[in-house]
Amino acid sequence: MAKAKWTVDTTHSSIDFTIRHMMIAKVKGTFHTFEADIDADTDDLTTADLQFSIDLSSIDTRNTDRDAHLRTADFFDVEQYPKLTFKSSQIVNTGEGEYNVTGDVTLHGVTRPETFAVTFEGSGKDPWGNEKAGFSAQGAFKRSDYGLTYNAALETGGVLIADEVKISIEIEASKA
């Protein structure tokens, strides 16, 4: 198969995150608005070109006040930095359907390389004859690497919000 354009089906895809809170629990959230440009040969994903863009104002942690605070200059500052972007630079096959995808993440005005473990879940035709492909990705990054340093010390030691953010991505894409 040759390289082809793939369109993300956002109704069957998700971008979720987890971060430790108060050193004892985890808070989960999702981003509802995102898009991607995928140019890939599903037989050889090492040649793919991937670009993602996440609308940071679409954050949802199931708490309206917290979400509003996350949009402020204390965190994402969505007025000045409305998007998180990713552009792949290297894709390495690490096993059957498994890849390390490295690329530039731009968040809060800072661009840094990050690597995500990606699994190609397979491809096939839907009931209407459209070619579909599925991908899962896992990764993590440090908030502080992107200038996101808002925090509070806890009386019992430690901090309110962990530095590491874990990312989980599920993508279903349609061949254009």
Side-chain angles (χ1 to χ4, degrees), residues 32-77:
H32 291 293
T33 306
F34 53 91
E35 57 190 24
D37 289 323
I38 303 170
D39 193 10
D41 174 352
T42 56
D43 292 332
D44 181 12
L45 291 173
T46 62
T47 65
D49 293 310
L50 311 170
Q51 292 186 59
F52 271 87
S53 177
I54 300 171
D55 178 354
L56 296 173
S57 67
S58 73
I59 193 166
D60 181 359
T61 64
R62 298 185 318 261
N63 181 296
T64 305
D65 291 340
R66 177 173 50 217
D67 295 345
H69 189 205
L70 289 168
R71 292 181 187 105
T72 71
D74 283 346
F75 290 96
F76 291 131
D77 193 2

Side-chain angles (χ1 to χ4, degrees), residues 27-162:
V27 171
K28 293 184 177 197
T30 192
F31 292 98
H32 291 293
T33 306
F34 53 91
E35 57 190 24
D37 289 323
I38 303 170
D39 193 10
D41 174 352
T42 56
D43 292 332
D44 181 12
L45 291 173
T46 62
T47 65
D49 293 310
L50 311 170
Q51 292 186 59
F52 271 87
S53 177
I54 300 171
D55 178 354
L56 296 173
S57 67
S58 73
I59 193 166
D60 181 359
T61 64
R62 298 185 318 261
N63 181 296
T64 305
D65 291 340
R66 177 173 50 217
D67 295 345
H69 189 205
L70 289 168
R71 292 181 187 105
T72 71
D74 283 346
F75 290 96
F76 291 131
D77 193 2
V78 298
E79 296 243 347
Q80 187 169 351
Y81 306 107
K83 296 191 181 301
L84 177 153
T85 60
F86 174 84
K87 181 172 180 8
S88 65
S89 57
Q90 181 182 35
I91 302 173
V92 177
N93 186 322
T94 59
E96 189 66 32
E98 304 290 328
Y99 300 85
N100 280 341
V101 178
T102 300
D104 288 333
V105 170
T106 300
L107 172 62
H108 204 249
V110 177
T111 301
R112 296 180 42 87
E114 301 286 355
T115 299
F116 296 88
V118 175
T119 301
F120 173 57
E121 301 290 356
S123 64
K125 291 199 183 294
D126 70 12
W128 302 274
N130 301 304
E131 185 75 22
K132 301 281 190 166
F135 307 89
S136 297
Q138 308 293 321
F141 64 85
K142 293 185 180 212
R143 296 184 308 120
S144 60
D145 287 345
Y146 296 91
L148 300 173
T149 57
Y150 177 90
N151 223 330
L154 297 175
E155 195 176 295
T156 54
V159 290
L160 183 65
I161 307 163

